[in-house]
Amino acid sequence: MTSDTHPFFDMHRHGYVRVATSTPQVRTADIAYNTAGIIEESERAHAAHVDLLVYPEMCISSYMLDDLVMQTAFLKKVESAVAQIVAASRDLSPILLVGAPLLANGQLYNCALVIAAGRLLGAVPKSFLPNYREFYEKRWYASGRNVTGGTITVNGEAVPFGVDLLFASTRDERFKLHIEICEDMWSPAPPSIAGALAGATICANLSASNIVIGKSDERHLLARSSSSRLACAYVYSAAGHGESTTDHAWDGEGMIYELGELLAESERFRRRPELCIADVDCERIYGDRIRHKTFDDAIDEAGRPEKRFRFIDMPHNPEHGDIGLTRPIARFPFVPDRENRLDEDCYEAFNIQVDGLMRRVEATSPMSLVIGISGGLDSTHALIVAAKCCDRLDLPRSMIRAYTMPGFGTTEHTKSNAWKLMEAFHVTAEEIDIRPAANKMLEDIGHAFADGHPVYDVTFENVQAGMRTDYLFRLAGQHNGFVIGTGDLSELALGWCTYGVGDHMSHYAVNSGVPKTLIQHLIRWAIRSEQFTHETDAILDAVLNTEITPELVPIGADGAVQSTESAVGPYELNDFFLHNIMRWGLSPSKVAFMAWHAWRDASRGEWPPHFPADLRNQYDLATISKWLENFLRRFFQFSQFKRSAIPNGPKVSSGGALSPRGDWRAPSDAVADVWLEELRQNLPH
């Protein structure tokens, strides 16, 4: 099947909803002009396959009307405009949220109207009316904060009316909509709190917020905090060019946040209409709420708000097939794409590791810190952390006892790097050739290699890995110290470590919360931020350019070294899988869909700052599927017993950690069938 026909390529199948904010053309009190602008934007949104379109507050009439809004002829014209928009929506895909002043029971309300598929589904009145500084809405409008269970008649039709309305998609149960208006967001207790606790995954705000210096930052703060605290998407649309400038100015700001992350924002102060579009992940929102048990408690504490809301069916007829994906998807979810964030996160990650090790040193008062140095990424970064720990505690780096232990697969390149590193950091450095001891053990257990046969099986590899760790533990005992673990989060996820007396074990595992892709950026950051000398930086750069290898199998006749990623898959894909499955609990087929959009074209999307151009890879769906299957087997089925017995180490990323005392707890004897079946059933063959 093609991307036009197979459901895998349809973003809606994966729980996405395409939302947009609109700043349509508007003229003060010119209802016909404004209505034409609203309809024009709805048609543009339909062409862009938008599911939900949020307009500014009072967009039908314009906002800055003063006493004009109380004129009977004006209000009748507003109603006729509503009928015109409802009729225009009949064959359009977007659900439209438009603002208008409406009369109910002899009171005038500032309302948000929900229009879909040729129907007016309901009206939500504004709860909190600003009546301070430049705003005096109580002169004209009644507050809707206590309006529940009601109806309002618009063009002779009675429709649900009140602040107790939630609009639920007829197609996707995860798409539930709550609406508030402008000042509601600024109140100490926004209505969206109850809406989210009642089940809304998307909260929309129709706003006519004027612009003054610094107000945009305030809006972002409120929208971001709402989406984070309420575990939802928050869609905000403010009035723009064309509103009355008698005493105010307007910037037409639109923004879409999801779980505290900015997905999209409009260009402010544009004269022409603008659509700000992003695909909101309602499945991800559900996943976050499942894990966030404080959210459950808040529902109970609020008296289960869903009992107080009326749920209105919301026709939702999206375009099927491959319509793309309009949202940023990080290739490296553990690594920020923006330079300022990258530096901040690297600073924090590095200092979390250093501070954790400092506290362990203070608690145990060791005479030495014992570490194995291979010349690869993980041991290099662990050495960096240990060196900085000693510096901050005013301890000599010579108390770090670093050992390089060449085995059957060690290359001169990595051995040379290991020695250069140890000398550059001025640690106590020694070399122990483990081959004689490994040969003796292989001989004692009757392994074929001891008889001259080139058998390089798991036993052959584990004898070396275990031998190295055994030496380190005995050396730690001999020198009154403890062993610093070098294994990282990615290896723990894949079970790529030798259990027990192997690289699985240490006294304190400084890298256990850091994935491989972040370690690479931490080393680049250490170079860029000049944490050490220029001579040291040159060695660190050489380590970054070294093939990732366990160096347990002898070099081939063609000079090729044992490659870790040829066995377990590219770490950049594995870290992508890990973050989205462990942190969000997403289904494997959805993770494949996301990975395909993130990795299929190296020329598209953002790359982390300073990321080498020659390392910018791309992967087709078949490759992604192959390594995702491998990840699912390793992660769910046969690696948990290793994670259930790992040593202490600091959690570093909000993406999670795999300690049984932290984020991830799972039985060691589970099977991966459910995840593998879900992937195979939902991917194109």
Side-chain angles (χ1 to χ4, degrees):
M1 293 185 181
T2 68
S3 62
D4 293 328
T5 58
H6 196 284
F8 170 82
F9 298 100
D10 181 358
M11 69 161 210
H12 294 99
R13 181 202 169 279
H14 300 286
Y16 292 104
V17 176
R18 181 159 295 173
V19 304
T21 68
S22 172
T23 310
Q25 60 182 9
V26 63
R27 284 204 299 239
T28 307
D30 192 340
I31 295 170
Y33 181 88
N34 299 344
T35 301
I38 289 168
I39 293 172
E40 182 180 336
E41 286 294 277
S42 70
E43 292 169 346
R44 282 214 302 147
H46 173 81
H49 310 297
V50 169
D51 300 308
L52 174 67
L53 182 58
V54 183
Y55 292 93
E57 179 181 11
M58 301 277 284
C59 56
I60 293 178
S61 59
S62 75
Y63 176 73
M64 286 303 298
L65 295 168
D66 292 340
D67 291 352
L68 298 182
V69 78
M70 296 188 291
Q71 293 289 311
T72 301
F74 189 83
L75 293 174
K76 286 183 177 180
K77 183 65 174 177
V78 167
E79 279 201 54
S80 66
V82 172
Q84 189 178 348
I85 296 168
V86 169
S89 74
R90 186 170 293 112
D91 297 319
L92 301 178
S93 62
I95 298 157
L96 309 179
L97 304 190
V98 299
L102 292 177
L103 283 169
N105 299 318
Q107 293 179 291
L108 184 60
Y109 291 93
N110 179 342
C111 298
L113 311 182
V114 183
I115 297 170
R119 292 173 52 205
L120 174 59
L121 303 180
V124 177
K126 189 172 184 176
S127 292
F128 294 96
L129 305 179
N131 220 59
Y132 55 88
R133 303 179 72 182
E134 64 263 46
F135 294 108
Y136 294 95
E137 286 194 21
K138 290 183 180 181
R139 177 183 175 95
W140 308 293
Y141 306 107
S143 168
R145 64 181 179 273
N146 293 316
V147 177
T148 59
T151 61
I152 189 171
T153 302
V154 184
N155 294 309
E157 179 187 4
V159 298
F161 177 60
V163 293
D164 59 340
L165 303 183
L166 275 186
F167 298 86
S169 165
T170 55
R171 182 187 182 279
D172 187 344
E173 65 175 1
R174 295 164 295 191
F175 175 19
K176 295 185 177 72
L177 173 67
H178 179 267
I179 302 163
E180 60 188 14
I181 302 173
C182 199
E183 182 74 9
D184 293 345
M185 182 174 73
W186 269 266
S187 74
S192 53
I193 295 176
L197 294 176
T201 48
I202 299 178
C203 296
N205 187 303
L206 293 75
S207 176
S209 168
N210 67 317
I211 186 63
V212 294
I213 294 172
K215 196 169 187 180
S216 175
D217 288 343
E218 185 179 5
R219 294 176 190 146
H220 276 280
L221 172 65
L222 294 172
R224 180 185 180 192
S225 62
S226 292
S227 72
S228 178
R229 187 179 63 256
L230 301 180
C232 69
Y234 199 91
V235 186
Y236 177 90
S237 182
H241 182 81
E243 279 285 354
S244 170
T245 56
T246 300
D247 290 302
H248 305 290
W250 315 86
D251 63 339
E253 183 160 53
M255 64 183 85
I256 302 167
Y257 276 93
E258 177 187 299
L259 299 175
E261 298 176 14
L262 180 63
L263 299 184
E265 60 181 321
S266 65
E267 179 186 338
R268 297 163 59 213
F269 299 106
R270 275 193 64 172
R271 185 180 178 190
R272 303 298 303 160
E274 180 179 9
L275 289 175
C276 171
I277 302 174
D279 295 333
V280 165
D281 190 344
C282 289
E283 182 181 323
R284 182 173 177 247
I285 291 168
Y286 258 42
D288 195 54
R289 289 181 177 180
I290 289 171
R291 287 156 182 76
H292 193 187
K293 294 310 172 186
T294 301
F295 196 88
D296 290 348
D297 292 342
I299 293 173
D300 289 335
E301 184 66 22
R304 305 206 67 86
E306 74 270 17
K307 295 185 294 185
R308 304 193 297 272
F309 276 85
R310 290 176 285 167
F311 287 78
I312 310 299
D313 284 346
M314 184 169 58
H316 178 206
N317 301 303
E319 178 77 16
H320 295 291
D322 183 3
I323 60 170
L325 191 63
T326 306
R327 72 181 270 126
I329 296 185
R331 291 179 172 90
F332 300 92
F334 291 101
V335 181
D337 291 336
R338 291 176 291 168
E339 183 151 11
N340 63 320
R341 282 284 312 281
L342 179 62
D343 284 346
E344 290 171 7
D345 282 15
C346 287
Y347 167 83
E348 284 190 333
F350 182 65
N351 281 284
I352 288 168
Q353 293 179 273
V354 172
D355 192 73
L357 183 57
M358 286 169 60
R359 181 69 189 97
R360 187 53 56 97
V361 169
E362 290 174 331
T364 58
S365 301
M367 300 299 293
S368 66
L369 302 176
V370 176
I371 184 171
I373 302 298
S374 68
L377 284 171
D378 293 345
S379 64
T380 296
H381 185 60
L383 179 60
I384 290 173
V385 171
K388 189 62 72 172
C389 169
C390 289
D391 294 348
R392 291 188 181 170
L393 291 175
D394 293 324
L395 296 170
R397 289 188 188 174
S398 58
M399 76 174 293
I400 300 172
R401 303 191 69 88
Y403 297 87
T404 186
M405 292 176 280
F408 298 116
T410 302
T411 66
E412 282 302 315
H413 175 70
T414 55
K415 180 179 172 181
S416 173
N417 279 347
W419 268 107
K420 289 176 182 177
L421 276 169
M422 295 186 295
E423 291 169 350
F425 281 96
H426 305 291
V427 299
T428 300
E430 293 187 36
E431 180 177 320
I432 299 175
D433 188 342
I434 66 167
R435 287 172 294 185
N439 266 320
K440 174 61 176 167
M441 180 174 284
L442 291 166
E443 181 182 338
D444 289 345
I445 66 175
H447 192 274
F449 180 81
D451 293 329
H453 300 289
V455 177
Y456 309 130
D457 56 8
V458 172
T459 301
F460 175 80
E461 294 187 11
N462 284 351
V463 162
Q464 297 172 77
M467 190 72 65
R468 286 173 174 143
T469 304
D470 201 0
Y471 271 118
L472 293 175
F473 270 91
R474 299 325 127 220
L475 288 162
Q478 182 180 7
H479 296 285
N480 298 311
F482 64 78
V483 177
I484 297 175
T486 60
D488 63 48
L489 183 68
S490 307
E491 293 174 341
L492 288 170
L494 295 163
W496 191 250
C497 52
T498 302
Y499 183 76
V501 183
D503 52 336
H504 165 262
M505 191 49 59
S506 64
H507 289 112
Y508 194 70
V510 294
N511 288 342
S512 61
V514 188
K516 188 80 74 178
T517 50
L518 182 54
I519 282 180
Q520 293 169 327
H521 287 277
L522 286 171
I523 294 176
R524 291 190 184 102
W525 173 81
I527 296 170
R528 194 169 63 253
S529 60
E530 299 183 340
Q531 297 291 315
F532 304 103
T533 66
H534 292 302
E535 292 76 17
T536 303
D537 291 345
I539 303 165
L540 296 178
D541 189 61
V543 170
L544 283 169
N545 293 317
T546 300
E547 169 82 25
I548 299 174
T549 171
E551 291 195 319
L552 297 172
V553 173
I555 300 169
D558 58 357
V561 298
Q562 183 184 14
S563 170
T564 297
E565 291 182 299
S566 66
V568 299
Y571 274 114
E572 54 197 12
L573 285 182
N574 283 315
D575 284 356
F576 186 96
F577 304 152
L578 173 63
H579 186 277
N580 287 293
I581 287 174
M582 176 178 68
R583 173 63 181 90
W584 303 110
L586 301 181
S587 59
S589 63
K590 177 168 182 170
V591 173
F593 176 80
M594 295 169 63
W596 180 64
H597 275 281
W599 287 99
R600 62 178 171 164
D601 186 347
S603 67
R604 298 173 61 183
E606 297 294 326
W607 289 87
H610 316 292
F611 195 87
D614 60 333
L615 298 180
R616 298 185 178 188
N617 299 317
Q618 61 186 38
Y619 303 98
D620 59 21
L621 185 57
T623 303
I624 291 167
S625 175
K626 169 189 172 181
W627 291 120
L628 180 51
E629 279 204 25
N630 182 72
F631 175 88
L632 296 173
R633 288 194 194 91
R634 299 191 71 97
F635 184 75
F636 285 108
Q637 187 155 316
F638 59 82
S639 297
Q640 182 58 40
F641 78 97
K642 298 181 181 182
R643 297 191 288 266
S644 295
I646 61 174
N648 297 167
K651 176 181 176 179
V652 172
S653 167
S654 61
L658 290 171
S659 167
R661 300 167 295 277
D663 290 77
W664 183 258
R665 304 176 193 197
S668 296
D669 46 9
V671 295
D673 295 6
V674 169
W675 293 270
L676 291 168
E677 181 181 353
E678 195 281 338
L679 181 66
R680 291 166 183 162
Q681 286 181 347
N682 293 297
L683 258 66
H685 295 296

